[in-house]
PDB file of all heavy atoms in Angstrom:
ATOM      1  N   GLN A  51     -10.530-133.686 -39.087  1.00 93.00           N
ATOM      2  CA  GLN A  51      -9.190-133.649 -39.693  1.00 93.00           C
ATOM      3  C   GLN A  51      -9.159-134.386 -41.040  1.00 93.00           C
ATOM      4  O   GLN A  51      -8.527-133.930 -41.991  1.00 93.00           O
ATOM      5  CB  GLN A  51      -8.158-134.271 -38.741  1.00 93.00           C
ATOM      6  CG  GLN A  51      -7.794-133.344 -37.593  1.00 93.00           C
ATOM      7  CD  GLN A  51      -7.160-134.077 -36.426  1.00 93.00           C
ATOM      8  OE1 GLN A  51      -7.182-135.312 -36.345  1.00 93.00           O
ATOM      9  NE2 GLN A  51      -6.583-133.325 -35.495  1.00 93.00           N
ATOM     10  N   PHE A  52      -9.859-135.518 -41.131  1.00 93.00           N
ATOM     11  CA  PHE A  52      -9.899-136.259 -42.396  1.00 93.00           C
ATOM     12  C   PHE A  52     -10.388-135.372 -43.539  1.00 93.00           C
ATOM     13  O   PHE A  52      -9.974-135.517 -44.679  1.00 93.00           O
ATOM     14  CB  PHE A  52     -10.830-137.474 -42.300  1.00 93.00           C
ATOM     15  CG  PHE A  52     -10.235-138.669 -41.593  1.00 93.00           C
ATOM     16  CD1 PHE A  52     -11.033-139.490 -40.806  1.00 93.00           C
ATOM     17  CD2 PHE A  52      -8.894-138.997 -41.727  1.00 93.00           C
ATOM     18  CE1 PHE A  52     -10.510-140.601 -40.156  1.00 93.00           C
ATOM     19  CE2 PHE A  52      -8.356-140.102 -41.083  1.00 93.00           C
ATOM     20  CZ  PHE A  52      -9.163-140.910 -40.294  1.00 93.00           C
ATOM     21  N   SER A  53     -11.312-134.436 -43.196  1.00 94.00           N
ATOM     22  CA  SER A  53     -11.888-133.620 -44.273  1.00 94.00           C
ATOM     23  C   SER A  53     -10.828-132.706 -44.888  1.00 94.00           C
ATOM     24  O   SER A  53     -10.940-132.302 -46.040  1.00 94.00           O
ATOM     25  CB  SER A  53     -13.085-132.812 -43.761  1.00 94.00           C
ATOM     26  OG  SER A  53     -12.651-131.804 -42.892  1.00 94.00           O
ATOM     27  N   GLU A  54      -9.784-132.375 -44.096  1.00 93.00           N
ATOM     28  CA  GLU A  54      -8.721-131.535 -44.670  1.00 93.00           C
ATOM     29  C   GLU A  54      -7.995-132.294 -45.779  1.00 93.00           C
ATOM     30  O   GLU A  54      -7.521-131.737 -46.749  1.00 93.00           O
ATOM     31  CB  GLU A  54      -7.737-131.115 -43.573  1.00 93.00           C
ATOM     32  CG  GLU A  54      -8.297-129.953 -42.758  1.00 93.00           C
ATOM     33  CD  GLU A  54      -7.653-129.799 -41.404  1.00 93.00           C
ATOM     34  OE1 GLU A  54      -6.508-130.264 -41.226  1.00 93.00           O
ATOM     35  OE2 GLU A  54      -8.328-129.240 -40.507  1.00 93.00           O
ATOM     36  N   LYS A  55      -7.891-133.620 -45.618  1.00 93.00           N
ATOM     37  CA  LYS A  55      -7.185-134.413 -46.618  1.00 93.00           C
ATOM     38  C   LYS A  55      -8.112-134.892 -47.743  1.00 93.00           C
ATOM     39  O   LYS A  55      -7.739-134.866 -48.907  1.00 93.00           O
ATOM     40  CB  LYS A  55      -6.571-135.617 -45.892  1.00 93.00           C
ATOM     41  CG  LYS A  55      -5.637-136.414 -46.725  1.00 93.00           C
ATOM     42  CD  LYS A  55      -4.690-137.220 -45.880  1.00 93.00           C
ATOM     43  CE  LYS A  55      -3.838-138.086 -46.775  1.00 93.00           C
ATOM     44  NZ  LYS A  55      -3.206-139.148 -46.039  1.00 93.00           N
ATOM     45  N   TYR A  56      -9.321-135.317 -47.395  1.00 94.00           N
ATOM     46  CA  TYR A  56     -10.183-135.979 -48.390  1.00 94.00           C
ATOM     47  C   TYR A  56     -11.331-135.106 -48.887  1.00 94.00           C
ATOM     48  O   TYR A  56     -12.099-135.532 -49.731  1.00 94.00           O
ATOM     49  CB  TYR A  56     -10.741-137.291 -47.812  1.00 94.00           C
ATOM     50  CG  TYR A  56      -9.645-138.256 -47.428  1.00 94.00           C
ATOM     51  CD1 TYR A  56      -9.268-138.418 -46.096  1.00 94.00           C
ATOM     52  CD2 TYR A  56      -8.959-138.971 -48.406  1.00 94.00           C
ATOM     53  CE1 TYR A  56      -8.240-139.266 -45.746  1.00 94.00           C
ATOM     54  CE2 TYR A  56      -7.931-139.830 -48.070  1.00 94.00           C
ATOM     55  CZ  TYR A  56      -7.579-139.969 -46.733  1.00 94.00           C
ATOM     56  OH  TYR A  56      -6.550-140.808 -46.391  1.00 94.00           O
ATOM     57  N   GLY A  57     -11.473-133.907 -48.313  1.00 95.00           N
ATOM     58  CA  GLY A  57     -12.548-133.021 -48.774  1.00 95.00           C
ATOM     59  C   GLY A  57     -13.782-133.118 -47.886  1.00 95.00           C
ATOM     60  O   GLY A  57     -13.821-133.876 -46.919  1.00 95.00           O
ATOM     61  N   ASP A  58     -14.814-132.345 -48.269  1.00 96.00           N
ATOM     62  CA  ASP A  58     -16.008-132.229 -47.425  1.00 96.00           C
ATOM     63  C   ASP A  58     -16.895-133.471 -47.452  1.00 96.00           C
ATOM     64  O   ASP A  58     -17.761-133.640 -46.593  1.00 96.00           O
ATOM     65  CB  ASP A  58     -16.848-131.019 -47.874  1.00 96.00           C
ATOM     66  CG  ASP A  58     -16.274-129.735 -47.315  1.00 96.00           C
ATOM     67  OD1 ASP A  58     -15.400-129.822 -46.427  1.00 96.00           O
ATOM     68  OD2 ASP A  58     -16.690-128.652 -47.766  1.00 96.00           O
TER      69      ASP A  58
END
Side-chain angles (χ1 to χ4, degrees):
Q51 284 161 347
F52 281 145
S53 70
E54 281 160 23
K55 189 158 176 197
Y56 300 102
D58 280 348

